[in-house]
Amino acid sequence: MLRKLILFSLFLGTTIGYAQQKRALTHEDYDLWKRIQNTQISDDGNLIVTEIVTSTGRGDGHVEIFNTRSGESFTFENGYRSSISGDGNFVFLLRKPAYELTRQEKKDEVKKDKMTKDDFFIFDVRNHRLVDSVTRVKKYEIPEETTGWVVIEKHKDLKPEKDTTAAAKATAQNDTLKTKKPENKALKADYALVYDLKDRSTDTIFEIKDFKLPEEGNRFIFSTTKGEKKGDLGVYSYDIREKSRQQLDTGRYAYNRLAIDKTGKQLAYLAAKDSARPDSLKFELFHVKDRQVRQITDLQGRNLRNDWQLSESQSPYFSENGKRLFFHSRPVRQFNTDTTLLEEEVPQVDVWSYHDDLIQPEQKARLKELENKAYQSYVTTDTGKVVQLHDETLDYVLFDDDREQRYILGYTSSPYDVERSWEYPWVKDFFIIDTQTGEKTKAIEGLAVNPDLSPDGNFAVYYEQEDRSWWVLDLRNNTKRNLTAGLDVNFFDEENDVPALPWPYGFGGFTKEGHALLYDQFDIWSVDLKKKAGPVNITRDGRKNNVTYRSLRLDRDHRNEASYYDKGLLVTAFDEDDKSSSLYTLNTRNGRKKAVIETDDFRLSGFDKAKEGEAFVFRKENFQQYPDLYLLKDPKAEPVKLTNVNPQQSDFKWGTVEKVSWQAYDGTPLDGLLYKPEGFNENRKYPLMVYFYEKRSDNLHNYHSPQPSASTVNMSYLVSNDYVVFVPDITYKEGKPGESAYNAIVSGVEAIEDMGFIDSENMAIQGQSWGGYQVAHLVTVTNKFKAAMAGAPVSNMTSAYGGIRWQSGLSRAFQYEKTQSRIGKNLWEGFDLYIENSPLFGIPNIETPLLMMHNDADGAVPYYQGIEMFMGMRRLNKPVWLLVYNDEAHNLRNVKNRQDLSIRMMQFFDHYLKGEPAPEWMTKGVPAVMKGKDFRYDLDVAQ
């Protein structure tokens, strides 16, 4: 029956034609748009799998399977969480219930355990068919490289509905069987199936708690349990070839944090003896090798420091070669808890002290991290030697990808934690750690950017902000060498306009020769760390041609290593003039480039390549074309478009975008983006929407899916509804963020007005967060705009300076002194600047109607900033509305709220810029008693 429900269809790669008249986008159309996620390519490049989901999450998606060898493609409706087998011969995936079915079950208040669950499917790529399926699946796991088996965890089976018919009752009364029916364990708890792909047989593991699979090999580890708060049954290993299990340990209360090495030959787990208080279990570490269980730590402190204990908050894990088993431990914590008090007698108070390294809000925001803080050690799996790598003197450790190098780095921010409230960048001290002995040596003080460890384990490359240079640290002898001093180019951000030291342009990874790749504004430089010769410009012509080159790092297992294709280094090229992307291979010896994908009006992204061979996938987009998936089978082939995710776009009026340039009032040359409606008529007068946030002109070729707004206007929706949209770049002067915004934005708007097609009586501005602040400021200094919308604006810099970013618990002071707010002074040194740049104090000058959104769970800009602005405008009888979405963040997360904001924001703008009637929520409000019952979207035609 299940197979009959599965729909596979050959992908033809053709666009469906639509003959009907194009129409403008509405808020009801958002669910039509889909997006691509979780694209995978098999190791041999013969298989590509991608998931297509609705942009809003309302509706059904599917999985598309592409066989690059045969050219065939298959669609699996409602599929997701797909995986490719190590040999590329199978695709595994889950199928979720249809969206409308789940929605109806929620409306019917079906109990969670009885709701329709996911099904699991196996697709045979070679034979193009579905080979099997499993119902009510919770999750599944496959080994990354080994093929032939999969572990499927199932929800417990539903109890059959009781038959209450008369016949059933009569049968029960006449039942003469005296023996008790066997208990069905599958009805009591979740269980797992070990599925053999060769013969499609399954073995059942009842009462499953957890399992962990290796990357390769045919053995895994699992634990079983009696149930939550009832204790565990045991921990076992499972041999796939023999279809047998070995009991490793049983009789303890809990088995947690299972681990397995890459080949499945070694296992590890934490176990705790029976306890009267399950919330305070004491765990011990066990290691399994050659089927022998060895205890590494115990409750008496074996292989731990004095008064330390094993941490259960982190999982043990093995190094790539399996020679090291890492684990975490920490000092035993002692609390002077008065156990005689009842819960209601315990005072609930936060004690703030100027002695605290971290202020109380930051401690609370990071409470789980601080409670679970532990320090790493490892045991050598051959000899049993234990080395502790760090303790309270260091916060964290930076490892190489394989966890095998002798020298690594650890760091601490403790000496600088207090000043983090106002200083930026935040810095740390770094120490060299000898992993053979655990010995630590201080190497670098006050560094903001984490160093990168070289693949050979001998060096670390880092950027020093104080002297704006790149350095190399020799980990073997703790010596340093400046790599970029004396060069005639800068490796730091030359356009930095915040009152803090500039960041570097970036690090591009290591070449296969072990050379480090460093970026200037345009080019890539290679430096041999073993020699004293300086960096060599390997791209050569970036600065000359105004093209920015950057290397790609596509190996998920070795993120610090640069990627290669067709025997050349893979580099992206971004043309700073036309904002287009291309991809090249680079000969690092002579600088010659060979085009892999060359464009002049597209943005490229989503790069990935097969581990073996030359198959390569990428995504290509511009404002008019969704970033669909493309395949390049080999360097000599032409890219093939694989997906056509949003064919319905041709039903709708769309638009165009172009780059525009002008001079600000102070003479600064600036760029911006100008979006025009489809069928644009230069003799017509269009309403203008102005949106801004820092610099956005590099996004010229970005696609904008029509979707409900998290906080900002949607370009596609606006141009489809006959708005022109202008997005100006902004540059800033220290201490003058408001004046700088006026200098760039208003000068740019006047330049657009001079083009002759803008209705100067109907222009509006919109921005969110930092953009929202600038909206609030602009309406206090100009009446040029008919309406304005500000999301999460800072209105009073004097109170915001002393506020808290509640999500992170950080003081906001550093933002004003060193980063985006750009005041450059503290409140007492720059008091006049804080007043001058605070919109609150300019409210008497406002004549522009203002709509704001500021949510009561905003973790970035304190909610009271929007309230201050609203209450001030209300007091002076200025037209103002404030939307407060409950339990929502800085940007809206819930689709229902995004939909609501989109409707209200465009009703607001349509009223003021297009003369549409105002909705009732603007004219009559929404009383608290109507909340959630009447949205008052209806237009008030009586007004």
PDB file of all heavy atoms in Angstrom, residues 11 85 121 436 542-543 710-711 728 737:
ATOM      1  N   PHE A  11      12.358  13.769 -14.060  1.00  0.00           N
ATOM      2  CA  PHE A  11      12.535  15.213 -14.134  1.00  0.00           C
ATOM      3  C   PHE A  11      12.927  15.612 -15.555  1.00  0.00           C
ATOM      4  O   PHE A  11      13.921  15.137 -16.083  1.00  0.00           O
ATOM      5  CB  PHE A  11      13.619  15.647 -13.146  1.00  0.00           C
ATOM      6  CG  PHE A  11      13.836  17.129 -13.126  1.00  0.00           C
ATOM      7  CD1 PHE A  11      12.988  17.952 -12.404  1.00  0.00           C
ATOM      8  CD2 PHE A  11      14.877  17.709 -13.822  1.00  0.00           C
ATOM      9  CE1 PHE A  11      13.188  19.310 -12.382  1.00  0.00           C
ATOM     10  CE2 PHE A  11      15.084  19.067 -13.799  1.00  0.00           C
ATOM     11  CZ  PHE A  11      14.232  19.866 -13.078  1.00  0.00           C
ATOM     12  N   SER A  85      24.111   6.764   0.636  1.00  0.00           N
ATOM     13  CA  SER A  85      24.973   5.709   1.166  1.00  0.00           C
ATOM     14  C   SER A  85      26.414   5.945   0.728  1.00  0.00           C
ATOM     15  O   SER A  85      26.684   6.637  -0.254  1.00  0.00           O
ATOM     16  CB  SER A  85      24.500   4.337   0.693  1.00  0.00           C
ATOM     17  OG  SER A  85      24.590   4.237  -0.716  1.00  0.00           O
ATOM     18  N   PHE A 121      12.159   5.518   4.063  1.00  0.00           N
ATOM     19  CA  PHE A 121      12.205   4.869   2.755  1.00  0.00           C
ATOM     20  C   PHE A 121      13.641   4.655   2.298  1.00  0.00           C
ATOM     21  O   PHE A 121      14.539   5.436   2.628  1.00  0.00           O
ATOM     22  CB  PHE A 121      11.463   5.713   1.713  1.00  0.00           C
ATOM     23  CG  PHE A 121       9.991   5.788   1.951  1.00  0.00           C
ATOM     24  CD1 PHE A 121       9.448   6.793   2.724  1.00  0.00           C
ATOM     25  CD2 PHE A 121       9.140   4.834   1.404  1.00  0.00           C
ATOM     26  CE1 PHE A 121       8.093   6.869   2.954  1.00  0.00           C
ATOM     27  CE2 PHE A 121       7.780   4.900   1.629  1.00  0.00           C
ATOM     28  CZ  PHE A 121       7.248   5.913   2.406  1.00  0.00           C
ATOM     29  N   GLN A 436      51.647  16.078  24.246  1.00  0.00           N
ATOM     30  CA  GLN A 436      52.290  14.885  24.800  1.00  0.00           C
ATOM     31  C   GLN A 436      52.490  14.992  26.300  1.00  0.00           C
ATOM     32  O   GLN A 436      52.525  13.984  26.997  1.00  0.00           O
ATOM     33  CB  GLN A 436      53.632  14.641  24.104  1.00  0.00           C
ATOM     34  CG  GLN A 436      53.489  14.238  22.636  1.00  0.00           C
ATOM     35  CD  GLN A 436      54.819  13.889  22.005  1.00  0.00           C
ATOM     36  OE1 GLN A 436      55.877  13.938  22.661  1.00  0.00           O
ATOM     37  NE2 GLN A 436      54.806  13.525  20.730  1.00  0.00           N
ATOM     38  N   GLY A 542      43.927  41.324  -9.365  1.00  0.00           N
ATOM     39  CA  GLY A 542      42.681  41.722  -8.718  1.00  0.00           C
ATOM     40  C   GLY A 542      42.559  43.220  -8.536  1.00  0.00           C
ATOM     41  O   GLY A 542      41.548  43.834  -8.912  1.00  0.00           O
ATOM     42  N   ARG A 543      43.577  43.827  -7.973  1.00  0.00           N
ATOM     43  CA  ARG A 543      43.532  45.277  -7.736  1.00  0.00           C
ATOM     44  C   ARG A 543      43.466  46.038  -9.052  1.00  0.00           C
ATOM     45  O   ARG A 543      42.725  47.015  -9.176  1.00  0.00           O
ATOM     46  CB  ARG A 543      44.757  45.703  -6.922  1.00  0.00           C
ATOM     47  CG  ARG A 543      44.744  47.146  -6.450  1.00  0.00           C
ATOM     48  CD  ARG A 543      45.894  47.388  -5.480  1.00  0.00           C
ATOM     49  NE  ARG A 543      45.746  46.591  -4.279  1.00  0.00           N
ATOM     50  CZ  ARG A 543      45.078  46.977  -3.188  1.00  0.00           C
ATOM     51  NH1 ARG A 543      44.505  48.171  -3.167  1.00  0.00           N
ATOM     52  NH2 ARG A 543      45.001  46.198  -2.140  1.00  0.00           N
ATOM     53  N   ALA A 710      10.285  39.310   8.257  1.00  0.00           N
ATOM     54  CA  ALA A 710      10.794  39.204   9.625  1.00  0.00           C
ATOM     55  C   ALA A 710      10.991  40.578  10.235  1.00  0.00           C
ATOM     56  O   ALA A 710      10.995  40.726  11.452  1.00  0.00           O
ATOM     57  CB  ALA A 710      12.111  38.435   9.645  1.00  0.00           C
ATOM     58  N   SER A 711      11.135  41.611   9.372  1.00  0.00           N
ATOM     59  CA  SER A 711      11.352  42.954   9.906  1.00  0.00           C
ATOM     60  C   SER A 711      11.464  44.024   8.826  1.00  0.00           C
ATOM     61  O   SER A 711      11.355  45.210   9.140  1.00  0.00           O
ATOM     62  CB  SER A 711      12.630  42.999  10.760  1.00  0.00           C
ATOM     63  OG  SER A 711      13.751  42.583  10.002  1.00  0.00           O
ATOM     64  N   PRO A 728      20.339  52.826  -0.652  1.00  0.00           N
ATOM     65  CA  PRO A 728      21.621  53.528  -0.716  1.00  0.00           C
ATOM     66  C   PRO A 728      22.675  52.941   0.214  1.00  0.00           C
ATOM     67  O   PRO A 728      22.359  52.451   1.307  1.00  0.00           O
ATOM     68  CB  PRO A 728      21.251  54.942  -0.261  1.00  0.00           C
ATOM     69  CG  PRO A 728      20.120  54.724   0.701  1.00  0.00           C
ATOM     70  CD  PRO A 728      19.358  53.530   0.186  1.00  0.00           C
ATOM     71  N   PRO A 737      26.701  59.468  13.548  1.00  0.00           N
ATOM     72  CA  PRO A 737      25.938  58.454  12.792  1.00  0.00           C
ATOM     73  C   PRO A 737      24.661  59.013  12.183  1.00  0.00           C
ATOM     74  O   PRO A 737      24.314  58.664  11.044  1.00  0.00           O
ATOM     75  CB  PRO A 737      25.638  57.390  13.857  1.00  0.00           C
ATOM     76  CG  PRO A 737      25.702  58.110  15.157  1.00  0.00           C
ATOM     77  CD  PRO A 737      26.785  59.132  14.985  1.00  0.00           C
TER      78      PRO A 737
END
